[in-house]
Amino acid sequence: MPDVHAALSYVRQFTDLKPSLGLILGSGLSVLADLVQNPVVLETSKIPGYPSSTVEGHVGRLVFGSIQGVSVVFVQGRLHVYEGHSVSDATFPVRLLSAIGVQKLIVTNAAGGIRSDFKPGTLMWIVDHINWTNLNPIMGSGIKAFPETRNAQQFNYYDAEWTKRAQAKAAKLGIDTATGTYLWTLGPSYETKAEIRAFKLIGADAVGMSTVPEVIQARSCGMKVLGLSTITNFAAGLGEDELNHEEVLEVGRQVRSDLERLVLALIAG
Ligand code: HPA
């Protein structure tokens, strides 16, 4: 498992900030980092040991700063296993955030909508997930089964109380949100119609190619997690159009102002 010590020392040459809140920005959502005041921007390509991102439309940066007086760090350009990264490399940013001091993590992504009322533009709080890949970032690191059996019944990957507060904030801002289960597929190819029918049967509301390994890693580091999907398209076979990455980015741009208002409210408390 790649070590974050050298990366942490590098980061500390540029900032002493120890934000307790981190955000991972998904496809089309990197602009949210523009909200940060007095930003200290680090190119991830210069951070020792940080795996390099290869996806078009993704930048690779850590943005430190504050929003309304709260210290934050944004990860722009997440790493996907489908790029060829091992699941342990793909979750390097989460381990680095943990070393920096992050205790609460907001993960955002773009996802295909499976539930029939999930039109493009729907915002969905992730309340549970299905790991269709069965890859696991904490595998082989000498870590015990996680969560430990005796705690498993109370264990939530996604913080229920934080999600409830987030829903209330969205409602107050007049932003409609839903809740649902996110299914992680490896990608990079989109799903077949048959796969989407199967995913619906097993309880998935949305499908995407990220997030779950980060969440497993974050919880094993002891972080609290809030997950938010932007539904950018109907999943395969459910809409009229072909799926493409441009469409995913375009819907991301359209819901930008709602997301900005929501993220500001979430950071405020
Ligand atoms: N499938 C997988 N990943 C996605 C999709 C999808 O339909 N939309 C955005 N990310």
Side-chain angles (χ1 to χ4, degrees), residues 110-113 185 190-191 207-209 232-236 243 248:
T185 58
Y190 284 109
E191 302 70 42
V207 58
M209 305 173 190
T232 50
N233 55 278
F234 293 104
L243 298 179
V248 170

Side-chain angles (χ1 to χ4, degrees), residues 169-193:
K169 279 177 195 289
K172 212 166 159 192
L173 291 168
I175 299 170
D176 281 340
T177 59
T179 56
T181 296
Y182 174 91
L183 183 145
W184 174 34
T185 58
L186 195 53
S189 41
Y190 284 109
E191 302 70 42
T192 64
K193 294 175 195 171

Side-chain angles (χ1 to χ4, degrees), residues 21 67-68 70 104 106 161-162 165-166 169 226 262-269:
L21 180 65
I67 293 183
Q68 296 159 347
V70 179
K104 294 179 74 181
I106 302 178
E161 198 263 326
W162 194 5
R165 271 190 287 132
K169 279 177 195 289
L226 180 68
L262 200 49
V263 165
L264 282 174
L266 291 173
I267 289 170

